[in-house]
Amino acid sequence: MSPKEAISVLFKSCNELKLQRETWCAAAVYFHRFFEQCSSSIAYDANLIAATCLYLASKVEEDKINIRNLIAVYYSTMHKERGEEKSLDSLQEYLCLKESIVRCELLVLRMLQFNLNYEKPHKHLRFYLTSLTAWLGKDRQIISRLSHNSKAFLNDFYRSPRCFHFKINHIAIAVIQFALECNQIKVPYDEKARVHWQQALCEDITEEIIETIIQELCRVYEIYVDLSKFVESDAYENTHCS
Amino acid sequence: MESRFADKNTGKHYEEVALIGSGAYGTVYKAKDLSKEGQIVALKKIRVPLTEDGVPATLIREISLLKQLENYNHPNIVRLLDICPGKKVERERLLILYLVFEHIEQDLATYLENCPSPGLGPDKIKEITYQLLKGVDFLHTHRIVHRDLKPQNILITSTGQVKLADFGLARIYAPSQALTSVVVTLWYRAPEVLLQSSYASSVDIWSCGCIYAELYRRKPLFCGHSENDQLTKIFEVIATPPESEWPKEVSLPWNAFAGFKGKSFESLIPEITPDALNLLKKMMTFNPSKRISAREAIKHFYFEEYELYPPEYENNNDNDYNIICNQKTRRNFRFHSDFQSAN
């Protein structure tokens, strides 16, 4: 399986395991960093790496998961992705998978040079949304749609292998802008404003940066929508089914 | 340790040169980094027990915290250059990790030993103490308590730059892993630690105070050989605190140490100036909640002159920092830019 598909399984497993969004995000960043770092000549098992990254992220984020649960959920999710219904029954296979993850953990740690700190954009997003919604008036529906969509976009953005190349506050601003555009919401008086809301919230952001991030996000949707395996994803549900 | 080891993932290559020392927690080697033209580094070897669930979560968090601190490049913190996994001892489920630090030849203990009479002089003492407190403040800001500050793990470069080492490791090595029966020195321990009461970042300030006094004396301030003896030596100087300040949950009763009148720090350090004495007393306060913090200590009027002209370091090409000692040239040179930034 390619990294692209493994990240899909990773996100679905996170959902199944009811992990915090910050943990999803950290796991995805480790995963992308790993594949950027490693030389392409060695074929790593993307699923093993993804499961290990998830395990590491749960340790770092103190979002504890039992390794047995992790393996069972990842296993069945992976098979579902391939269109099979299969759960992990063999003890032999379980022990083998567990051993692989424990061994792989060291490899991932080394590859990431033990640097597992990644600040997550979620609190920036929350803060920006609170500031912005004060401007948008009292329409509850609009506000909840905006916040729901931007959170979903943020989450999906971490499927992009380039996600960790951007500053987290820039990502937060860009997903809000994208959510505003998708819902055709205008920030009142923004056209006349000397300082636009983007700069008001985040000083060093430029239109180019926002544009690049949105393009990257659109690329994610192209890839995963084409695969027609994207139906379960948050944003797809929200923007297309509601 | 094998005398040479390489990491095939990163192409790093280290060759052991000499054993520097073995502390309570592990061994330190002087080594050459063969991938960097034999640059001398300090290798600290730690042994991590692998559990059923792989690498312990606490270790992962601590190490990535150390890595994160590197991003700040703080001048008074020893550089952590790399982390290398060594051979894994499969049967014992033991992981060996080498923490690769920059190597600095001299620690504060040898620096003081080699210092000729009549001692360091007040300016040098101030400069060292200031840098020490700067480093401690940086650690405390990042929620790290050093817990074992002593002249042996304070490094000082040939240009007089002070760098803290061995921080954040106390939690990495579990106490059960203490490999040798090396006696851990009590001399810099805060009273609340000796009393086994709860403690916080203020324990580091106590240690700084002891070291500060030692800079004047060129010998330790309190040399106890047991917890009790250490406490006695402390109270002989700072006097027994009132019973109301004695921590409640400790096994040693206040009575056991009652009646010490204390003596003045001046009698121990005759050459100390009033400003310096004022700071020292604030650092050597029995009650941890009344003890001065690192941040406050830096702003103490003893360091007033640094407010405008802090000791400065210049980064030269060898990745080494140099302290600019010539205050006069610096003043002339920096006046204009200082003035601008003040606006």
Side-chain angles (χ1 to χ4, degrees), chain A residues 44 65 73-74 112 115-116 132 140 155 164 171 190 192 225 241:
Chain A
Y44 290 105
I65 34 175
V73 169
Y74 200 95
L112 303 182
N115 196 350
L116 302 178
L132 199 59
R140 280 253 178 91
N155 217 39
F164 62 95
I171 299 173
D190 196 49
K192 291 180 207 155
V225 173
C241 306

Side-chain angles (χ1 to χ4, degrees), chain B residues 1 29 55 63 72 94 104 116 132 159 166 177 179 198 211 217 223 276 281 284 300 303 307-309:
Chain B
M1 173 180 156
Y29 300 90
V55 185
I63 289 196
Y72 296 89
L94 204 65
I104 293 167
L132 174 62
T159 50
D166 271 354
Q177 281 185 73
L179 296 173
S198 58
I211 295 162
R217 289 160 51 83
C223 313
K281 279 185 178 162
M284 308 299 284
H300 189 271
F303 296 121
E307 205 175 307
L308 194 52
Y309 306 107

Side-chain angles (χ1 to χ4, degrees), chain A residues 44 55-56 58-62 64 67 98-99 102-103 105-107 109-117 119, chain B residues 7 9-10 12 50 52-57 60-61 63-65 67-68 82-85 88 90 93 95 97:
Chain A
Y44 290 105
Y55 189 47
L56 269 176
S58 89
K59 282 181 179 178
V60 175
E61 299 298 316
E62 297 187 59
K64 270 275 163 93
I67 192 163
K98 183 176 163 184
E99 186 62 28
V102 169
R103 277 163 187 269
E105 201 181 24
L106 288 170
L107 172 71
L109 278 172
R110 184 60 196 136
M111 210 61 119
L112 303 182
Q113 286 158 347
F114 289 85
N115 196 350
L116 302 178
N117 280 293
E119 228 189 305
Chain B
D7 184 337
N9 289 324
T10 53
K12 287 278 182 186
L50 290 173
E52 269 285 274
D53 300 331
V55 185
I60 292 176
R61 279 199 294 272
I63 289 196
S64 53
L65 179 62
K67 279 294 271 195
Q68 195 188 17
D82 194 15
I83 299 169
C84 271
K88 197 159 73 168
E90 206 68 60
R93 306 285 289 174
L95 168 71
L97 276 184

Side-chain angles (χ1 to χ4, degrees), chain A residues 189-202:
Chain A
Y189 308 113
D190 196 49
E191 280 156 20
K192 291 180 207 155
R194 249 191 303 152
V195 178
H196 293 288
W197 67 268
Q198 294 92 333
Q199 280 88 23
L201 293 172
C202 172

Side-chain angles (χ1 to χ4, degrees), chain B residues 163-232:
Chain B
K163 286 174 175 239
L164 305 186
D166 271 354
F167 49 86
L169 300 178
R171 278 185 291 178
I172 292 181
Y173 318 111
S176 61
Q177 281 185 73
L179 296 173
T180 52
S181 52
V182 177
V183 181
V184 184
T185 180
L186 303 169
W187 300 347
Y188 306 93
R189 291 239 174 124
E192 63 270 26
V193 181
L194 294 162
L195 288 167
Q196 295 176 347
S197 169
S198 58
Y199 62 89
S201 59
S202 46
V203 298
D204 289 342
I205 300 301
W206 180 273
S207 313
C208 287
C210 296
I211 295 162
Y212 179 28
E214 193 168 329
L215 294 177
Y216 282 100
R217 289 160 51 83
R218 286 185 290 151
K219 58 181 185 213
L221 184 59
F222 309 122
C223 313
H225 40 257
S226 69
E227 266 94 348
N228 254 327
D229 186 42
Q230 183 71 21
L231 281 164
T232 310

